[in-house]
C-alpha cells in the first residue's frame, strides 16, 4: 500500500530533491505505525518556524496532544525515515528522534500557534490528508489485489528457500580425488560431513591423533562418536578424555582387524584412502559405499 501511496504522491507533482520548498504537501505525508503522519521538520518548514520552537510550543500544551495526535519515532523508525527520504539525511547522526503528527495533531497545531498563517497552513495540510485518504479508499480494491499478489510471491519465495535449504543440507559428495597439497580442501570435506551428522559418527582408522578430535568438535550437539583404532596409545586416551570434558560423546574402541579407513555419517559409509590426520598430504581418493549401510558395517566388526 505504501508503494502505491508513493506513486500517488509522485503523480501529483514532480519533486526536485535538491529544493525542499518545491516538495508538495502530499509528498510529505508518510506512513508510520499504520497511520498517515507528517514529521515535525516538514511541518515547521510549512509553518515557517523553527522545528525546535514548534516542539516547544507543543510541549507547553502536551495535554492537547495525546499519542494518537503526536508520537516520537523510535530509532528504528528514524533509520527507516533517513533511508527512504533524502531530505532527512541530516537526522542520521542525531541523538534525538523526530516527532510525527497525525491529521488530528495538525489540526491542533493551528489552535496553539494561533496565527492566521498557521490556520491557513493547517487547512492546506488537512486537505492534503483528506485527498490522500480518499485516494486510498477509492483504490482499496487495487491495494488488496496487490497485497494478495505480494503475499503469494512471499509464500512462493519461502517454498523455494525451503527446497534450496533442503537440497543444500542433503547433497553430500559421493566420490573424489585429492592431490598432494590439497590439505585444506580435504579437511573441509571431512569437516562438512561431520557437521551433517544427525545421530552418530563412526571412524575406523588406525592412526587417530588429536588433530582428528579438532574436526570432531564441529559435530552437532547430541551426536555420538565411536572411534575404532588398532593402536590406542596412552596419549590418545588422555586426549579423548580432555576432549570429552568440553565436547562429550566420544568413545574409543580397540579394533585390530581393519586395514582400510572408513568414516560413517549416520547410515552413509565413506571409504577414505588416507588416515584422517594425513588428509591432503599425499594423493588419495574417497568414495561413498552403497553396498551396505553404516549399521550393517558396524554389525560386522
Amino acid at each position: 500500500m505504501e508503494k502505491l501511496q508513493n506513486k500517488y504522491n509522485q503523480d501529483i507533482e514532480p519533486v526536485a530533491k535538491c529544493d525542499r520548498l518545491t516538495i508538495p504537501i502530499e509528498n510529505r505525508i508518510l506512513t508510520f505505525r499504520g497511520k498517515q503522519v507528517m514529521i515535525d521538520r516538514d511541518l515547521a518548514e510549512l509553518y515557517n518556524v523553527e522545528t525546535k520552537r514548534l516542539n516547544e510550543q507543543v510541549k507547553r500544551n502536551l495535554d492537547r496532544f495525546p499519542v494518537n495526535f503526536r508520537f516520537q519515532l523510535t530509532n528504528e523508525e528514524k533509520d527507516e525515515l533517513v533511508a527512504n527520504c533524502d531530505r532527512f539525511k541530516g537526522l542520521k547522526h542525531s541523538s534525538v528522534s523526530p516527532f510525527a503528527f497525525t491529521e488530528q495533531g495538525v489540526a491542533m497545531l493551528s489552535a496553539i500557534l494561533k496565527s492566521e498563517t498557521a490556520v491557513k497552513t493547517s487547512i492546506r495540510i488537512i486537505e492534503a490528508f483528506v485527498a490522500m485518504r480518499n485516494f486510498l479508499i477509492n483504490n482499496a480494491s487495487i491495494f488488496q489485489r496487490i497485497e494478495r499478489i505480494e503475499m503469494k510471491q512471499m509464500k512462493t519465495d519461502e517454498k523455494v528457500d525451503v527446497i534450496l535449504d533442503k537440497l543444500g543440507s542433503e547433497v553430500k559428495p559421493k566420490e573424489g580425488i585429492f592431490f598432494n597439497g590439497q590439505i585444506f580442501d580435504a579437511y573441509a570435506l571431512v569437516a562438512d560431513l561431520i557437521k551433517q551428522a544427525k545421530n552418530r559418527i563412526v571412524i575406523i582408522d588406525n592412526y587417530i591423533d588429536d588433530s582428528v578430535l579438532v574436526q570432531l568438535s564441529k559435530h552437532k550437539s547430541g551426536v555420538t562418536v565411536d572411534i575404532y583404532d588398532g593402536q590406542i596409545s596412552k596419549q590418545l586416551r588422555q586426549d579423548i578424555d580432555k576432549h570429552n570434558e568440553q565436547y562429550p560423546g566420544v568413545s574409543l574402541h580397540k579394533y585390530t582387524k581393519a586395514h582400510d579407513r572408513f568414516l560413517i555419517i549416520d547410515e552413509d559409509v565413506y571409504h577414505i584412502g588416507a588416515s584422517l590426520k594425513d588428509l591432503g598430504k599425499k594423493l588419495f581418493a574417497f568414495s561413498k559405499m552403497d553396498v551396505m549401510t553404516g549399521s550393517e558395517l558396524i554389525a560386522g566388526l
Side-chain angles (χ1 to χ4, degrees), residues 169 171-173 186-203 208 210-227 243 247 250 262-266 268 270 272 276-277 279:
S169 64
V171 172
K172 302 176 184 178
Y187 177 90
L189 165 73
V190 173
D192 184 58
L193 292 175
I194 288 172
K195 290 176 183 176
Q196 292 184 38
K198 297 178 181 178
N199 299 305
R200 70 177 179 181
I201 299 169
V202 179
I203 297 173
I208 296 294
D210 57 348
S211 67
V212 178
L213 298 179
V214 173
Q215 288 180 299
L216 288 174
S217 65
K218 301 179 184 299
H219 71 70
K220 297 176 182 175
S221 176
V223 173
T224 61
V225 180
D226 289 281
I227 298 175
H243 179 275
Y247 305 102
V250 177
F262 295 91
L263 174 63
I264 301 174
I265 304 296
D266 296 325
D268 294 334
Y270 289 85
I272 309 293
L276 294 184
K277 73 180 182 63
L279 296 180

Side-chain angles (χ1 to χ4, degrees), residues 78-301:
K78 183 185 75 172
D79 292 341
E80 179 185 345
L81 178 68
V82 172
N84 291 297
C85 299
D86 291 346
R87 66 183 183 278
F88 293 112
K89 61 183 178 181
L91 290 171
K92 184 174 183 179
H93 302 293
S94 174
S95 59
V96 180
S97 293
F99 286 90
F101 289 78
T102 64
E103 182 178 343
Q104 297 93 328
V106 172
M108 189 57 69
L109 279 176
S110 63
I112 66 169
L113 295 178
K114 297 180 181 178
S115 70
E116 184 178 346
T117 300
V119 173
K120 290 181 179 179
T121 301
S122 293
I123 291 173
R124 289 175 53 216
I125 296 173
I126 291 172
E127 286 176 345
F129 270 105
V130 172
M132 180 72 72
R133 186 164 61 252
N134 288 338
F135 172 79
L136 297 176
I137 292 172
N138 292 335
N139 293 276
S141 60
I142 297 176
F143 296 145
Q144 290 171 358
R145 286 198 294 271
I146 289 179
E147 286 176 356
R148 284 197 294 269
I149 292 171
E150 289 179 342
M151 286 300 296
K152 288 181 180 178
Q153 183 62 48
M154 287 174 63
K155 290 178 180 178
T156 301
D157 292 345
E158 288 172 0
K159 291 178 181 177
V160 171
D161 289 342
V162 169
I163 292 171
L164 292 176
D165 288 342
K166 193 166 184 65
L167 287 174
S169 64
E170 293 186 352
V171 172
K172 302 176 184 178
K174 291 182 66 70
E175 59 187 5
I177 294 177
F178 287 93
F179 292 90
N180 179 36
Q182 287 187 273
I183 296 174
F184 179 78
D185 292 342
Y187 177 90
L189 165 73
V190 173
D192 184 58
L193 292 175
I194 288 172
K195 290 176 183 176
Q196 292 184 38
K198 297 178 181 178
N199 299 305
R200 70 177 179 181
I201 299 169
V202 179
I203 297 173
I204 303 173
D205 190 334
N206 289 330
Y207 302 97
I208 296 294
D209 66 6
D210 57 348
S211 67
V212 178
L213 298 179
V214 173
Q215 288 180 299
L216 288 174
S217 65
K218 301 179 184 299
H219 71 70
K220 297 176 182 175
S221 176
V223 173
T224 61
V225 180
D226 289 281
I227 298 175
Y228 291 83
D229 193 332
Q231 44 187 0
I232 300 175
S233 65
K234 183 178 179 180
Q235 181 64 54
L236 179 58
R237 287 191 181 278
Q238 183 179 356
D239 289 340
I240 289 180
D241 288 341
K242 294 293 184 183
H243 179 275
N244 281 338
E245 289 181 9
Q246 185 171 355
Y247 305 102
V250 177
S251 299
L252 185 60
H253 313 273
K254 188 166 185 177
Y255 186 74
T256 59
K257 298 181 180 180
H259 176 273
D260 290 354
R261 279 130 330 238
F262 295 91
L263 174 63
I264 301 174
I265 304 296
D266 296 325
E267 290 299 317
D268 294 334
V269 179
Y270 289 85
H271 177 257
I272 309 293
S275 174
L276 294 184
K277 73 180 182 63
D278 296 323
L279 296 180
K281 294 181 181 179
K282 291 183 180 180
L283 174 69
F284 79 95
F286 75 94
S287 59
K288 183 180 176 183
M289 311 293 293
D290 294 324
V291 295
M292 66 174 57
T293 66
S295 296
E296 291 171 338
L297 179 56
I298 294 169
L301 296 180

Side-chain angles (χ1 to χ4, degrees), residues 49-91:
V49 297
E50 294 180 4
T51 306
K52 182 178 180 181
R53 300 302 174 214
L54 183 143
N55 284 319
E56 284 177 351
Q57 193 67 16
V58 171
K59 193 176 292 185
R60 295 190 188 101
N61 297 271
L62 273 181
D63 57 322
R64 298 190 180 189
F65 291 90
V67 69
N68 59 319
F69 281 30
R70 169 185 177 265
F71 57 85
Q72 191 168 25
L73 300 187
T74 64
N75 289 334
E76 291 76 15
E77 289 169 336
K78 183 185 75 172
D79 292 341
E80 179 185 345
L81 178 68
V82 172
N84 291 297
C85 299
D86 291 346
R87 66 183 183 278
F88 293 112
K89 61 183 178 181
L91 290 171

